[in-house]
Amino acid sequence: MKEVILVKLGEMVLKGQNKNAFETILIKNIRRRLQSLGEFKVEAAQSTIYITPMDDFCDIDEIEEKVGKIFGIVAYTRACIAEKELGKIQEAAAEYLENELLTAKTFKVESKRSDKKFAYSSPEISREVGGYLLSKFHHLKVDVHNPDVTVRVEVREKGAYIHPNPKEGAGGIPVGTGGKAAILISGGIDSPVAAYMLARRGVQLTAIHFASPPYTSERAHDKVVRLLDKVHDYAGRMKMYTVEFTKIQEQIRDNCPEELATVLMRRFMMKVAQRVAEMEECKALITGESLGQVASQTLHAIACTDAVVTMPVFRPLIGTDKAEIVKLARKIGTFDISIEPFEDCCTVFTPRHPRTKPTVHVLEAAERKLDVEGLINECLENLNYIWIE
């Protein structure tokens, strides 16, 4: 029996004249994500996208798993295709959903007739298919309010599609419709979640990671790559830049007041990140900061770090607490990697008593002891990058 995946669109259907542009990008994203699994026909009609495997050996379960992580999809389901003839529809429903119906006690049929040339109305289709299923599965009872199984029949232009309840999709809007931004990514819990949240709003990501060898190891770098692999399942292909940050941190340690070290480091990070973002034609920076979580994330400290860049800085986690962030990290599969005990650039040379209410003029006075532009340029000259794909 021929199976397809039906993809239901969410807020994209409200985009008016831009709807087709959003659909086109979503279809490209679907094709790109599924290309390693075989050959597919992906097409849109009537606010639904149809994914039809052209290879009989495609793993439909693996296809479903990947589709469930593509932003722009509010719901999806696997379905069988029957001829647009009532008897064929009845037989297909009984055969295709046999396992679900055998283990259920109650059911109902919901029908939608998009092809108005079909002889039966939606209520008539539901009644006829429901009666047929009752004659085949004698243990079943009809419950229109809270059934164990809902049999859905959609009569469309190219056939009748029969499927159970759709599964919840990743939501959001397709990656690539919201512009490009650079995420400052660490090995912690927060920044991968921030990356996920902005990608969910259609943002194409470039990742920037700061490493401090020999204080941070290759295993710490590998940890960040594995985190981005998890984010990639949702956000798609991205470039990851690694910035060697050791010299800047040592210069801050040796020449600046200890209590200012964390915020000074953050200001350098923002300056370097903006330069890299501009190279990649990104229009904003993204961080995983949550207000008040640590000393460098107070209002005073955030204002001082933002003062050194001209790009917008998005902080999708700013009003969340740690429990909410952890819940999302578990959902996207990054939490267990994030808590692996490898050193992180941000924890190197941590001051014993960081200042929580720094001021810009005090920080600028400390920075005058450093060759700021020289240090930044040295970082940019030694950039490395890989593709996460």
Side-chain angles (χ1 to χ4, degrees):
M1 187 175 292
K2 186 70 173 178
E3 279 190 298
V4 300
I5 302 288
L6 300 182
V7 169
K8 305 295 184 180
L9 311 181
E11 62 184 275
M12 286 169 50
V13 301
L14 305 176
K15 297 299 182 182
Q17 294 181 352
N18 294 319
K19 177 189 169 187
N20 288 341
F22 279 74
E23 280 187 357
T24 298
I25 291 175
L26 177 56
I27 288 172
K28 287 181 180 178
N29 290 348
I30 292 171
R31 286 175 176 152
R32 189 178 297 117
R33 300 289 186 87
L34 299 183
Q35 64 183 0
S36 64
L37 303 182
E39 186 178 350
F40 301 89
K41 183 178 182 181
V42 185
E43 55 187 344
Q46 298 170 314
S47 297
T48 298
I49 291 177
Y50 301 79
I51 304 172
T52 306
M54 307 305 288
D55 184 346
D56 292 337
F57 301 101
C58 286
D59 186 336
I60 201 78
D61 292 326
E62 194 170 359
I63 297 168
E64 268 198 299
E65 182 182 354
K66 285 188 177 291
V67 167
K69 294 179 178 179
I70 298 175
F71 291 131
I73 296 174
V74 69
Y76 63 98
T77 184
R78 59 207 293 175
C80 74
I81 309 174
E83 295 180 32
K84 289 192 289 185
E85 179 185 323
L86 184 60
K88 298 290 186 182
I89 294 172
Q90 291 171 323
E91 292 171 4
E95 180 183 350
Y96 187 63
L97 298 175
E98 180 180 13
N99 291 337
E100 288 89 341
L101 294 170
L102 284 173
T103 57
K105 294 181 180 179
T106 59
F107 83 109
K108 71 173 179 178
V109 180
E110 289 187 355
S111 302
K112 180 179 179 181
R113 184 186 63 159
S114 299
D115 181 2
K116 302 306 180 184
K117 295 178 182 178
F118 190 67
Y120 296 84
S121 66
S122 296
E124 289 171 337
I125 296 169
S126 296
R127 184 179 65 244
E128 295 297 327
V129 173
Y132 181 83
L133 294 177
L134 285 171
S135 72
K136 290 290 185 179
F137 302 91
H138 301 293
H139 68 286
L140 284 177
K141 293 183 179 180
V142 174
D143 182 347
V144 298
H145 299 295
N146 190 30
D148 295 330
V149 174
T150 299
V151 177
R152 298 180 184 272
V153 180
E154 299 183 34
V155 180
R156 295 176 172 267
E157 182 182 345
K158 295 184 179 181
Y161 297 83
I162 297 148
H163 59 87
N165 281 334
K167 297 178 181 179
E168 184 179 357
I173 56 178
V175 172
T177 60
K180 297 175 67 176
I183 172 74
L184 280 71
I185 189 84
S186 72
I189 297 171
D190 303 340
S191 56
V193 175
Y196 162 87
M197 292 180 71
L198 261 294
R200 194 169 186 268
R201 299 311 306 161
V203 174
Q204 184 179 340
L205 300 174
T206 294
I208 304 172
H209 173 62
F210 293 86
S212 297
Y215 306 104
T216 59
S217 66
E218 273 300 316
R219 296 181 72 183
H221 183 270
D222 177 66
K223 174 184 176 182
V224 176
V225 173
R226 288 184 288 121
L227 285 169
L228 287 175
D229 276 335
K230 292 293 185 181
V231 175
H232 160 270
D233 289 344
Y234 296 89
R237 185 173 187 256
M238 72 186 87
K239 187 183 284 188
M240 172 188 164
Y241 282 94
T242 300
V243 179
E244 191 168 310
F245 205 55
T246 310
K247 187 171 181 179
I248 288 177
Q249 289 186 288
E250 289 176 338
Q251 288 290 305
I252 292 172
R253 178 198 62 189
D254 296 340
N255 297 286
C256 301
E258 182 188 7
E259 68 272 16
L260 299 177
T262 301
V263 180
L264 287 169
M265 177 191 72
R266 294 292 296 175
R267 282 164 64 91
F268 270 99
M269 285 182 170
M270 299 295 271
K271 290 175 182 179
V272 174
Q274 176 163 296
R275 302 279 188 92
V276 177
E278 289 169 345
M279 287 166 42
E280 289 295 316
E281 299 183 341
C282 296
K283 301 303 180 186
L285 301 176
I286 309 164
T287 76
E289 290 162 307
S290 172
L291 188 62
Q293 186 169 223
V294 294
S296 64
Q297 296 175 20
T298 64
L299 277 177
H300 295 77
I302 288 172
C304 289
T305 56
D306 282 7
V308 299
V309 293
T310 56
M311 279 186 175
V313 181
F314 296 144
R315 294 179 170 88
L317 306 182
I318 196 69
T320 57
D321 61 32
K322 202 65 178 182
E324 293 170 311
I325 299 170
V326 166
K327 183 178 179 180
L328 261 176
R330 291 186 187 279
K331 174 185 174 181
I332 65 176
T334 57
F335 179 76
D336 289 338
I337 301 172
S338 292
I339 62 174
E340 291 177 4
F342 299 123
E343 61 286 307
D344 189 275
C345 171
C346 296
T347 60
V348 176
F349 308 130
T350 302
R352 289 165 294 180
H353 303 292
R355 186 176 296 190
T356 58
K357 295 182 178 180
T359 59
V360 170
H361 75 273
V362 169
L363 292 163
E364 288 176 343
E367 287 171 346
R368 283 195 284 273
K369 300 175 182 178
L370 307 173
D371 178 11
V372 174
E373 279 302 307
L375 290 168
I376 291 172
N377 288 333
E378 190 171 336
C379 282
L380 296 173
E381 288 168 3
N382 294 290
L383 284 175
N384 293 301
Y385 73 85
I386 60 172
W387 284 100
I388 308 293
E389 56 185 347

